[in-house]
Amino acid sequence: MKKKLLSTAAAAIALTVLVAGCGTNSTGGSTSGGNATGSGGAASGNKSDLKVGLVTDTGGLNDNSFNHLADVGLQNAQKQLGVTGSVVESTSESDYIPNLTRFAQNGYDLVIAVGYLMHDAVEQVAKQYPKTHFLIIDDTITDRPNVSSAVFKAEQAGYLAGAMAGLLETGKSLPNLNSQNVVGVIGGQNIPPVNDYIAGFQQGFKKEDPNGKVLLQYTNSFTDQALGSQYAQNEMAQGADIVFPDAGGCGLGAINAVKSANKYAIGVDTDQSYLAPKNVLTSATKGVDTAVFDTIKDLQTNNFHSGVTNFDLKGNGVGIGKVMSGVPQSVIDQVNSLKQDIISGKIQVSTTIQK
């Protein structure tokens, strides 16, 4: 699997009912790396005049998922911390370097890159603008003193969502669940942040429904809702009555297809229950909004750190969102128990996809 699309200098031209303790309101894990050095645009002492630029991935702000959450974090910082924020949406991967560069050239104190696919672009622009701070979401950059990386243990959230699906399939405790014990997963792209969710989901589902089947397809799109709908319909035609789309805006089409078929879905990244309250069982969430807000706050108070911050289940950096009405309390209780087993280390969740 190719990790990232290379970006070159030429490209510059050309998750209300919560499973107890789960959520995305605080961070977990540890930060590695020291304070950024040589950062001429750094804030000094609790300043509110910081300028923060956010560059979305190609899914855009209307993905109701990953990019949307990053923007929520920025909006919260604008309201609570008084910073100035601006957003530019990338329509293609060739936009990454120009969009990041624009903010750096215009003297922004912090530039946020939303997504794993921006790795090479951030590496290049951060090197060119060593006095500008950068935050990359869902990827690790450790060789730049002006870059902070937010990484999420999405496999832990995926495990809980998969376990809920497995418990519901074996218990047949909801209407419209067939006897086939098949669930579907739709990935937007074959990359680690997507696969971490999927790997966890597979393990959690198989833990509770060892004889059940998990269908897996990749759309190679985070934007095409029609394609998401098509893939969901295809999986439902193969017996899936629960579908987990991990595909950004493309996944919205999958949720709509599930709603139309009166089946069930599991949301991703943010709490997507509002999209189909009678169909979305829960959502596997990650605290992208928290990561953005906390990094801005750290910069504002002269506590910006380069290196990696891990967001995990123990610190509520990942979790699951609102649980659909009708899901038995016994299922919720079992999922809560599994959560504690993950936190304690009794259950170790792998990031390896099961073929």
Short mmCIF file of all heavy atoms in Angstrom, two decimals, residues 288-354:
data_model
loop_
_atom_site.label_atom_id
_atom_site.label_comp_id
_atom_site.label_asym_id
_atom_site.label_seq_id
_atom_site.Cartn_x
_atom_site.Cartn_y
_atom_site.Cartn_z
N VAL A 288 -11.26 15.14 16.91
CA VAL A 288 -10.53 16.08 16.05
C VAL A 288 -10.76 17.51 16.51
O VAL A 288 -9.83 18.33 16.53
CB VAL A 288 -10.96 15.90 14.58
CG1 VAL A 288 -10.30 16.95 13.70
CG2 VAL A 288 -10.62 14.49 14.09
N ASP A 289 -11.99 17.83 16.91
CA ASP A 289 -12.29 19.17 17.38
C ASP A 289 -11.47 19.52 18.62
O ASP A 289 -10.96 20.63 18.75
CB ASP A 289 -13.79 19.33 17.65
CG ASP A 289 -14.36 18.26 18.56
OD1 ASP A 289 -13.75 17.17 18.71
OD2 ASP A 289 -15.47 18.48 19.12
N THR A 290 -11.32 18.55 19.51
CA THR A 290 -10.55 18.76 20.73
C THR A 290 -9.07 18.97 20.41
O THR A 290 -8.40 19.83 20.99
CB THR A 290 -10.71 17.57 21.68
OG1 THR A 290 -12.10 17.42 21.99
CG2 THR A 290 -9.93 17.76 22.95
N ALA A 291 -8.56 18.17 19.48
CA ALA A 291 -7.16 18.30 19.10
C ALA A 291 -6.87 19.69 18.54
O ALA A 291 -5.85 20.31 18.87
CB ALA A 291 -6.80 17.22 18.08
N VAL A 292 -7.76 20.19 17.69
CA VAL A 292 -7.59 21.51 17.11
C VAL A 292 -7.65 22.59 18.19
O VAL A 292 -6.76 23.46 18.29
CB VAL A 292 -8.66 21.77 16.03
CG1 VAL A 292 -8.69 23.25 15.62
CG2 VAL A 292 -8.41 20.89 14.81
N PHE A 293 -8.68 22.54 19.03
CA PHE A 293 -8.85 23.55 20.08
C PHE A 293 -7.66 23.55 21.03
O PHE A 293 -7.11 24.62 21.37
CB PHE A 293 -10.15 23.28 20.85
CG PHE A 293 -10.42 24.28 21.95
CD1 PHE A 293 -11.16 25.43 21.68
CD2 PHE A 293 -9.94 24.08 23.24
CE1 PHE A 293 -11.41 26.36 22.69
CE2 PHE A 293 -10.18 25.01 24.25
CZ PHE A 293 -10.92 26.16 23.96
N ASP A 294 -7.25 22.37 21.49
CA ASP A 294 -6.17 22.28 22.47
C ASP A 294 -4.84 22.79 21.91
O ASP A 294 -4.05 23.41 22.61
CB ASP A 294 -6.02 20.85 22.97
CG ASP A 294 -7.12 20.45 23.94
OD1 ASP A 294 -7.98 21.30 24.26
OD2 ASP A 294 -7.14 19.28 24.37
N THR A 295 -4.60 22.51 20.63
CA THR A 295 -3.35 22.98 20.03
C THR A 295 -3.34 24.50 19.93
O THR A 295 -2.32 25.14 20.19
CB THR A 295 -3.15 22.35 18.64
OG1 THR A 295 -3.14 20.92 18.76
CG2 THR A 295 -1.84 22.81 18.02
N ILE A 296 -4.47 25.08 19.56
CA ILE A 296 -4.57 26.54 19.50
C ILE A 296 -4.36 27.13 20.88
O ILE A 296 -3.61 28.12 21.06
CB ILE A 296 -5.93 26.96 18.92
CG1 ILE A 296 -6.06 26.50 17.46
CG2 ILE A 296 -6.11 28.48 19.02
CD1 ILE A 296 -7.45 26.69 16.87
N LYS A 297 -4.98 26.54 21.88
CA LYS A 297 -4.84 27.04 23.26
C LYS A 297 -3.40 26.93 23.73
O LYS A 297 -2.87 27.83 24.39
CB LYS A 297 -5.77 26.26 24.19
CG LYS A 297 -5.78 26.79 25.62
CD LYS A 297 -6.81 26.06 26.47
CE LYS A 297 -6.83 26.62 27.89
NZ LYS A 297 -7.83 25.91 28.73
N ASP A 298 -2.75 25.81 23.39
CA ASP A 298 -1.35 25.64 23.78
C ASP A 298 -0.47 26.72 23.15
O ASP A 298 0.41 27.28 23.81
CB ASP A 298 -0.85 24.26 23.35
CG ASP A 298 -1.37 23.14 24.24
OD1 ASP A 298 -1.89 23.44 25.34
OD2 ASP A 298 -1.26 21.97 23.84
N LEU A 299 -0.71 27.02 21.88
CA LEU A 299 0.08 28.05 21.23
C LEU A 299 -0.17 29.40 21.87
O LEU A 299 0.75 30.20 22.08
CB LEU A 299 -0.26 28.09 19.74
CG LEU A 299 0.48 29.13 18.89
CD1 LEU A 299 2.00 28.93 18.99
CD2 LEU A 299 0.04 29.06 17.43
N GLN A 300 -1.42 29.66 22.20
CA GLN A 300 -1.79 30.94 22.80
C GLN A 300 -1.09 31.16 24.14
O GLN A 300 -0.79 32.29 24.52
CB GLN A 300 -3.32 31.01 22.99
CG GLN A 300 -3.84 32.37 23.40
CD GLN A 300 -5.35 32.35 23.57
OE1 GLN A 300 -5.88 31.68 24.44
NE2 GLN A 300 -6.04 33.10 22.71
N THR A 301 -0.82 30.08 24.86
CA THR A 301 -0.19 30.18 26.19
C THR A 301 1.29 29.78 26.17
O THR A 301 1.87 29.46 27.21
CB THR A 301 -0.95 29.31 27.20
OG1 THR A 301 -0.98 27.95 26.72
CG2 THR A 301 -2.37 29.79 27.38
N ASN A 302 1.86 29.82 24.98
CA ASN A 302 3.28 29.49 24.83
C ASN A 302 3.61 28.06 25.21
O ASN A 302 4.71 27.77 25.68
CB ASN A 302 4.16 30.45 25.64
CG ASN A 302 4.57 31.67 24.84
OD1 ASN A 302 4.44 31.69 23.62
ND2 ASN A 302 5.05 32.68 25.52
N ASN A 303 2.68 27.14 25.03
CA ASN A 303 2.90 25.73 25.36
C ASN A 303 2.81 24.83 24.13
O ASN A 303 2.56 23.63 24.27
CB ASN A 303 1.90 25.27 26.42
CG ASN A 303 2.16 25.91 27.77
OD1 ASN A 303 3.28 25.88 28.27
ND2 ASN A 303 1.12 26.52 28.34
N PHE A 304 3.01 25.39 22.95
CA PHE A 304 2.97 24.58 21.75
C PHE A 304 4.09 23.55 21.79
O PHE A 304 5.23 23.85 22.13
CB PHE A 304 3.14 25.46 20.52
CG PHE A 304 3.16 24.70 19.21
CD1 PHE A 304 1.97 24.45 18.53
CD2 PHE A 304 4.35 24.24 18.67
CE1 PHE A 304 1.98 23.75 17.33
CE2 PHE A 304 4.37 23.55 17.47
CZ PHE A 304 3.18 23.30 16.80
N HIS A 305 3.75 22.30 21.45
CA HIS A 305 4.74 21.23 21.42
C HIS A 305 4.79 20.60 20.04
O HIS A 305 3.77 20.32 19.43
CB HIS A 305 4.39 20.13 22.44
CG HIS A 305 4.52 20.55 23.86
ND1 HIS A 305 5.71 20.52 24.54
CD2 HIS A 305 3.60 21.02 24.75
CE1 HIS A 305 5.54 20.95 25.78
NE2 HIS A 305 4.26 21.26 25.94
N SER A 306 6.00 20.38 19.60
CA SER A 306 6.16 19.56 18.40
C SER A 306 6.05 18.10 18.82
O SER A 306 5.91 17.78 19.99
CB SER A 306 7.52 19.84 17.76
OG SER A 306 8.57 19.51 18.66
N GLY A 307 6.12 17.20 17.85
CA GLY A 307 6.00 15.78 18.15
C GLY A 307 4.56 15.30 18.09
O GLY A 307 3.72 15.94 17.47
N VAL A 308 4.29 14.21 18.76
CA VAL A 308 3.02 13.49 18.61
C VAL A 308 2.20 13.49 19.89
O VAL A 308 2.71 13.20 20.97
CB VAL A 308 3.29 12.02 18.19
CG1 VAL A 308 1.98 11.28 17.98
CG2 VAL A 308 4.13 11.97 16.91
N THR A 309 0.92 13.83 19.76
CA THR A 309 -0.03 13.67 20.85
C THR A 309 -0.99 12.54 20.48
O THR A 309 -1.60 12.58 19.41
CB THR A 309 -0.84 14.96 21.11
OG1 THR A 309 0.06 16.02 21.41
CG2 THR A 309 -1.81 14.77 22.27
N ASN A 310 -1.10 11.53 21.35
CA ASN A 310 -1.98 10.39 21.10
C ASN A 310 -3.32 10.59 21.79
O ASN A 310 -3.37 10.94 22.97
CB ASN A 310 -1.33 9.10 21.62
CG ASN A 310 -0.11 8.71 20.81
OD1 ASN A 310 -0.23 8.40 19.64
ND2 ASN A 310 1.05 8.77 21.43
N PHE A 311 -4.39 10.38 21.06
CA PHE A 311 -5.75 10.50 21.59
C PHE A 311 -6.35 9.10 21.64
O PHE A 311 -6.50 8.44 20.60
CB PHE A 311 -6.60 11.41 20.69
CG PHE A 311 -6.15 12.85 20.72
CD1 PHE A 311 -5.02 13.25 20.03
CD2 PHE A 311 -6.86 13.79 21.45
CE1 PHE A 311 -4.59 14.57 20.06
CE2 PHE A 311 -6.45 15.12 21.49
CZ PHE A 311 -5.32 15.50 20.79
N ASP A 312 -6.71 8.64 22.87
CA ASP A 312 -7.14 7.26 23.02
C ASP A 312 -8.43 7.16 23.83
O ASP A 312 -9.01 8.15 24.27
CB ASP A 312 -6.03 6.41 23.65
CG ASP A 312 -5.58 6.94 25.02
OD1 ASP A 312 -6.30 7.78 25.62
OD2 ASP A 312 -4.52 6.51 25.49
N LEU A 313 -8.88 5.91 24.04
CA LEU A 313 -10.13 5.65 24.75
C LEU A 313 -10.03 6.02 26.22
O LEU A 313 -10.98 6.55 26.81
CB LEU A 313 -10.48 4.16 24.60
CG LEU A 313 -11.87 3.71 25.07
CD1 LEU A 313 -12.96 4.45 24.31
CD2 LEU A 313 -12.01 2.19 24.88
N LYS A 314 -8.87 5.80 26.81
CA LYS A 314 -8.69 6.10 28.23
C LYS A 314 -8.93 7.57 28.52
O LYS A 314 -9.53 7.93 29.54
CB LYS A 314 -7.28 5.70 28.67
CG LYS A 314 -7.00 5.93 30.14
CD LYS A 314 -5.61 5.44 30.53
CE LYS A 314 -5.36 5.65 32.01
NZ LYS A 314 -4.01 5.14 32.42
N GLY A 315 -8.47 8.43 27.64
CA GLY A 315 -8.65 9.86 27.84
C GLY A 315 -9.83 10.45 27.12
O GLY A 315 -9.94 11.66 27.01
N ASN A 316 -10.71 9.59 26.59
CA ASN A 316 -11.89 10.04 25.83
C ASN A 316 -11.51 10.77 24.54
O ASN A 316 -12.30 11.55 24.01
CB ASN A 316 -12.80 10.93 26.68
CG ASN A 316 -13.42 10.18 27.84
OD1 ASN A 316 -13.57 8.96 27.77
ND2 ASN A 316 -13.74 10.89 28.91
N GLY A 317 -10.32 10.52 24.04
CA GLY A 317 -9.93 11.10 22.76
C GLY A 317 -10.60 10.39 21.60
O GLY A 317 -10.69 10.93 20.51
N VAL A 318 -11.03 9.15 21.83
CA VAL A 318 -11.88 8.41 20.89
C VAL A 318 -12.99 7.79 21.71
O VAL A 318 -12.93 7.73 22.93
CB VAL A 318 -11.10 7.31 20.11
CG1 VAL A 318 -10.00 7.92 19.28
CG2 VAL A 318 -10.56 6.25 21.06
N GLY A 319 -14.04 7.30 21.06
CA GLY A 319 -15.15 6.68 21.78
C GLY A 319 -16.29 6.35 20.85
O GLY A 319 -16.08 6.18 19.65
N ILE A 320 -17.49 6.28 21.38
CA ILE A 320 -18.68 6.15 20.55
C ILE A 320 -19.71 7.17 20.99
O ILE A 320 -19.71 7.63 22.13
CB ILE A 320 -19.28 4.72 20.54
CG1 ILE A 320 -19.72 4.29 21.92
CG2 ILE A 320 -18.30 3.73 19.95
CD1 ILE A 320 -20.42 2.93 21.91
N GLY A 321 -20.56 7.54 20.05
CA GLY A 321 -21.49 8.63 20.28
C GLY A 321 -22.85 8.17 20.78
O GLY A 321 -22.98 7.11 21.40
N LYS A 322 -23.84 8.97 20.48
CA LYS A 322 -25.20 8.70 20.94
C LYS A 322 -25.66 7.33 20.46
O LYS A 322 -25.43 6.97 19.30
CB LYS A 322 -26.15 9.77 20.41
CG LYS A 322 -27.59 9.63 20.88
CD LYS A 322 -28.44 10.77 20.34
CE LYS A 322 -29.88 10.65 20.82
NZ LYS A 322 -30.71 11.77 20.30
N VAL A 323 -26.28 6.58 21.36
CA VAL A 323 -26.79 5.25 21.02
C VAL A 323 -28.27 5.35 20.68
O VAL A 323 -29.05 5.99 21.38
CB VAL A 323 -26.58 4.25 22.18
CG1 VAL A 323 -27.15 2.89 21.83
CG2 VAL A 323 -25.09 4.14 22.50
N MET A 324 -28.65 4.74 19.58
CA MET A 324 -30.02 4.82 19.08
C MET A 324 -31.03 4.28 20.09
O MET A 324 -30.79 3.25 20.73
CB MET A 324 -30.14 4.04 17.77
CG MET A 324 -31.46 4.22 17.03
SD MET A 324 -31.57 3.08 15.61
CE MET A 324 -31.98 1.54 16.47
N SER A 325 -32.15 4.94 20.21
CA SER A 325 -33.24 4.45 21.04
C SER A 325 -33.67 3.08 20.56
O SER A 325 -33.85 2.87 19.36
CB SER A 325 -34.42 5.43 20.98
OG SER A 325 -35.52 4.94 21.71
N GLY A 326 -33.83 2.15 21.47
CA GLY A 326 -34.22 0.79 21.11
C GLY A 326 -33.10 -0.21 21.28
O GLY A 326 -33.35 -1.41 21.41
N VAL A 327 -31.86 0.27 21.27
CA VAL A 327 -30.75 -0.64 21.55
C VAL A 327 -30.85 -1.07 23.01
O VAL A 327 -30.90 -0.23 23.90
CB VAL A 327 -29.39 0.05 21.29
CG1 VAL A 327 -28.24 -0.84 21.74
CG2 VAL A 327 -29.26 0.40 19.81
N PRO A 328 -30.88 -2.37 23.26
CA PRO A 328 -31.08 -2.86 24.64
C PRO A 328 -29.99 -2.37 25.60
O PRO A 328 -28.82 -2.27 25.23
CB PRO A 328 -31.01 -4.38 24.49
CG PRO A 328 -31.38 -4.64 23.07
CD PRO A 328 -30.82 -3.49 22.30
N GLN A 329 -30.39 -2.07 26.83
CA GLN A 329 -29.43 -1.64 27.83
C GLN A 329 -28.37 -2.71 28.08
O GLN A 329 -27.21 -2.40 28.37
CB GLN A 329 -30.15 -1.31 29.15
CG GLN A 329 -29.23 -0.74 30.22
CD GLN A 329 -28.61 0.59 29.81
OE1 GLN A 329 -29.30 1.46 29.27
NE2 GLN A 329 -27.31 0.75 30.07
N SER A 330 -28.77 -3.98 27.93
CA SER A 330 -27.81 -5.07 28.13
C SER A 330 -26.66 -4.98 27.13
O SER A 330 -25.51 -5.28 27.45
CB SER A 330 -28.51 -6.43 28.00
OG SER A 330 -29.10 -6.58 26.72
N VAL A 331 -26.98 -4.55 25.90
CA VAL A 331 -25.93 -4.38 24.89
C VAL A 331 -25.03 -3.22 25.27
O VAL A 331 -23.80 -3.31 25.19
CB VAL A 331 -26.57 -4.15 23.50
CG1 VAL A 331 -25.51 -3.71 22.49
CG2 VAL A 331 -27.27 -5.41 23.03
N ILE A 332 -25.62 -2.11 25.67
CA ILE A 332 -24.84 -0.95 26.10
C ILE A 332 -23.92 -1.33 27.26
O ILE A 332 -22.74 -0.96 27.29
CB ILE A 332 -25.77 0.21 26.48
CG1 ILE A 332 -26.59 0.66 25.27
CG2 ILE A 332 -24.98 1.38 27.06
CD1 ILE A 332 -27.64 1.71 25.58
N ASP A 333 -24.45 -2.08 28.21
CA ASP A 333 -23.64 -2.49 29.37
C ASP A 333 -22.46 -3.35 28.96
O ASP A 333 -21.34 -3.20 29.48
CB ASP A 333 -24.51 -3.24 30.38
CG ASP A 333 -25.54 -2.37 31.07
OD1 ASP A 333 -25.40 -1.12 31.03
OD2 ASP A 333 -26.51 -2.92 31.66
N GLN A 334 -22.69 -4.24 28.01
CA GLN A 334 -21.60 -5.10 27.55
C GLN A 334 -20.54 -4.29 26.81
O GLN A 334 -19.34 -4.55 26.95
CB GLN A 334 -22.16 -6.21 26.65
CG GLN A 334 -22.95 -7.26 27.41
CD GLN A 334 -23.50 -8.34 26.50
OE1 GLN A 334 -22.78 -9.24 26.07
NE2 GLN A 334 -24.79 -8.26 26.19
N VAL A 335 -20.97 -3.31 26.03
CA VAL A 335 -20.01 -2.45 25.35
C VAL A 335 -19.21 -1.64 26.36
O VAL A 335 -17.98 -1.47 26.22
CB VAL A 335 -20.72 -1.53 24.34
CG1 VAL A 335 -19.76 -0.51 23.75
CG2 VAL A 335 -21.34 -2.37 23.22
N ASN A 336 -19.86 -1.15 27.40
CA ASN A 336 -19.15 -0.43 28.47
C ASN A 336 -18.10 -1.31 29.13
O ASN A 336 -17.00 -0.85 29.46
CB ASN A 336 -20.14 0.06 29.53
CG ASN A 336 -20.83 1.35 29.14
OD1 ASN A 336 -20.25 2.17 28.46
ND2 ASN A 336 -22.07 1.51 29.57
N SER A 337 -18.44 -2.58 29.33
CA SER A 337 -17.50 -3.52 29.94
C SER A 337 -16.29 -3.72 29.03
O SER A 337 -15.13 -3.77 29.50
CB SER A 337 -18.21 -4.86 30.20
OG SER A 337 -17.30 -5.80 30.76
N LEU A 338 -16.54 -3.81 27.73
CA LEU A 338 -15.44 -3.96 26.78
C LEU A 338 -14.56 -2.72 26.77
O LEU A 338 -13.32 -2.81 26.64
CB LEU A 338 -16.00 -4.23 25.38
CG LEU A 338 -16.69 -5.58 25.19
CD1 LEU A 338 -17.43 -5.60 23.86
CD2 LEU A 338 -15.68 -6.72 25.29
N LYS A 339 -15.18 -1.57 26.91
CA LYS A 339 -14.41 -0.33 26.99
C LYS A 339 -13.41 -0.39 28.13
O LYS A 339 -12.22 -0.06 27.97
CB LYS A 339 -15.34 0.86 27.17
CG LYS A 339 -14.58 2.18 27.38
CD LYS A 339 -15.48 3.26 27.92
CE LYS A 339 -14.63 4.47 28.31
NZ LYS A 339 -15.41 5.50 29.00
N GLN A 340 -13.88 -0.82 29.29
CA GLN A 340 -12.99 -0.91 30.45
C GLN A 340 -11.88 -1.94 30.24
O GLN A 340 -10.75 -1.75 30.70
CB GLN A 340 -13.80 -1.23 31.71
CG GLN A 340 -14.78 -0.15 32.12
CD GLN A 340 -14.11 1.21 32.28
OE1 GLN A 340 -13.00 1.32 32.84
NE2 GLN A 340 -14.76 2.25 31.78
N ASP A 341 -12.21 -3.01 29.52
CA ASP A 341 -11.20 -4.03 29.23
C ASP A 341 -10.11 -3.48 28.30
O ASP A 341 -8.94 -3.85 28.42
CB ASP A 341 -11.85 -5.26 28.60
CG ASP A 341 -12.62 -6.10 29.60
OD1 ASP A 341 -12.41 -5.91 30.82
OD2 ASP A 341 -13.44 -6.94 29.16
N ILE A 342 -10.50 -2.60 27.38
CA ILE A 342 -9.50 -1.98 26.51
C ILE A 342 -8.63 -1.01 27.31
O ILE A 342 -7.40 -1.01 27.20
CB ILE A 342 -10.19 -1.25 25.33
CG1 ILE A 342 -10.89 -2.26 24.42
CG2 ILE A 342 -9.17 -0.42 24.55
CD1 ILE A 342 -11.73 -1.62 23.33
N ILE A 343 -9.27 -0.19 28.13
CA ILE A 343 -8.53 0.78 28.94
C ILE A 343 -7.54 0.10 29.88
O ILE A 343 -6.40 0.55 30.05
CB ILE A 343 -9.52 1.66 29.74
CG1 ILE A 343 -10.28 2.59 28.78
CG2 ILE A 343 -8.79 2.48 30.80
CD1 ILE A 343 -11.38 3.39 29.45
N SER A 344 -7.97 -1.01 30.47
CA SER A 344 -7.10 -1.73 31.42
C SER A 344 -5.99 -2.51 30.74
O SER A 344 -5.02 -2.93 31.38
CB SER A 344 -7.94 -2.68 32.27
OG SER A 344 -8.40 -3.79 31.50
N GLY A 345 -6.14 -2.70 29.43
CA GLY A 345 -5.15 -3.47 28.69
C GLY A 345 -5.50 -4.94 28.56
O GLY A 345 -4.76 -5.70 27.93
N LYS A 346 -6.64 -5.33 29.13
CA LYS A 346 -7.06 -6.73 29.01
C LYS A 346 -7.33 -7.08 27.56
O LYS A 346 -7.04 -8.20 27.11
CB LYS A 346 -8.32 -6.97 29.86
CG LYS A 346 -8.81 -8.41 29.85
CD LYS A 346 -10.02 -8.58 30.76
CE LYS A 346 -10.53 -10.02 30.73
NZ LYS A 346 -11.72 -10.18 31.63
N ILE A 347 -7.89 -6.14 26.83
CA ILE A 347 -8.09 -6.31 25.38
C ILE A 347 -7.13 -5.41 24.65
O ILE A 347 -7.07 -4.20 24.90
CB ILE A 347 -9.54 -5.97 24.97
CG1 ILE A 347 -10.52 -6.97 25.57
CG2 ILE A 347 -9.67 -5.95 23.44
CD1 ILE A 347 -11.98 -6.65 25.26
N GLN A 348 -6.34 -6.00 23.79
CA GLN A 348 -5.42 -5.25 22.94
C GLN A 348 -6.01 -5.23 21.52
O GLN A 348 -6.23 -6.28 20.93
CB GLN A 348 -4.05 -5.89 22.93
CG GLN A 348 -3.36 -5.90 24.29
CD GLN A 348 -2.86 -4.52 24.70
OE1 GLN A 348 -2.53 -3.69 23.85
NE2 GLN A 348 -2.81 -4.28 26.01
N VAL A 349 -6.25 -4.05 20.99
CA VAL A 349 -6.86 -3.94 19.67
C VAL A 349 -5.78 -3.71 18.63
O VAL A 349 -4.99 -2.77 18.72
CB VAL A 349 -7.90 -2.80 19.62
CG1 VAL A 349 -8.64 -2.83 18.30
CG2 VAL A 349 -8.88 -2.92 20.79
N SER A 350 -5.77 -4.55 17.63
CA SER A 350 -4.79 -4.46 16.56
C SER A 350 -5.25 -3.50 15.47
O SER A 350 -6.45 -3.26 15.30
CB SER A 350 -4.56 -5.86 15.95
OG SER A 350 -3.82 -5.78 14.76
N THR A 351 -4.31 -2.96 14.74
CA THR A 351 -4.62 -2.10 13.61
C THR A 351 -4.50 -2.85 12.28
O THR A 351 -4.49 -2.22 11.21
CB THR A 351 -3.69 -0.88 13.57
OG1 THR A 351 -2.33 -1.32 13.51
CG2 THR A 351 -3.89 -0.01 14.81
N THR A 352 -4.43 -4.17 12.35
CA THR A 352 -4.27 -4.99 11.15
C THR A 352 -5.62 -5.44 10.61
O THR A 352 -6.42 -6.04 11.33
CB THR A 352 -3.40 -6.23 11.44
OG1 THR A 352 -2.12 -5.80 11.92
CG2 THR A 352 -3.21 -7.07 10.18
N ILE A 353 -5.87 -5.14 9.35
CA ILE A 353 -7.10 -5.57 8.68
C ILE A 353 -7.12 -7.09 8.56
O ILE A 353 -6.11 -7.70 8.20
CB ILE A 353 -7.20 -4.95 7.27
CG1 ILE A 353 -7.38 -3.43 7.39
CG2 ILE A 353 -8.35 -5.56 6.47
CD1 ILE A 353 -8.74 -2.99 7.79
N GLN A 354 -8.28 -7.70 8.84
CA GLN A 354 -8.45 -9.14 8.66
C GLN A 354 -8.93 -9.40 7.23
O GLN A 354 -9.96 -8.86 6.82
CB GLN A 354 -9.46 -9.67 9.68
CG GLN A 354 -9.04 -9.48 11.12
CD GLN A 354 -10.12 -9.89 12.11
OE1 GLN A 354 -11.11 -10.50 11.74
NE2 GLN A 354 -9.92 -9.56 13.38
#
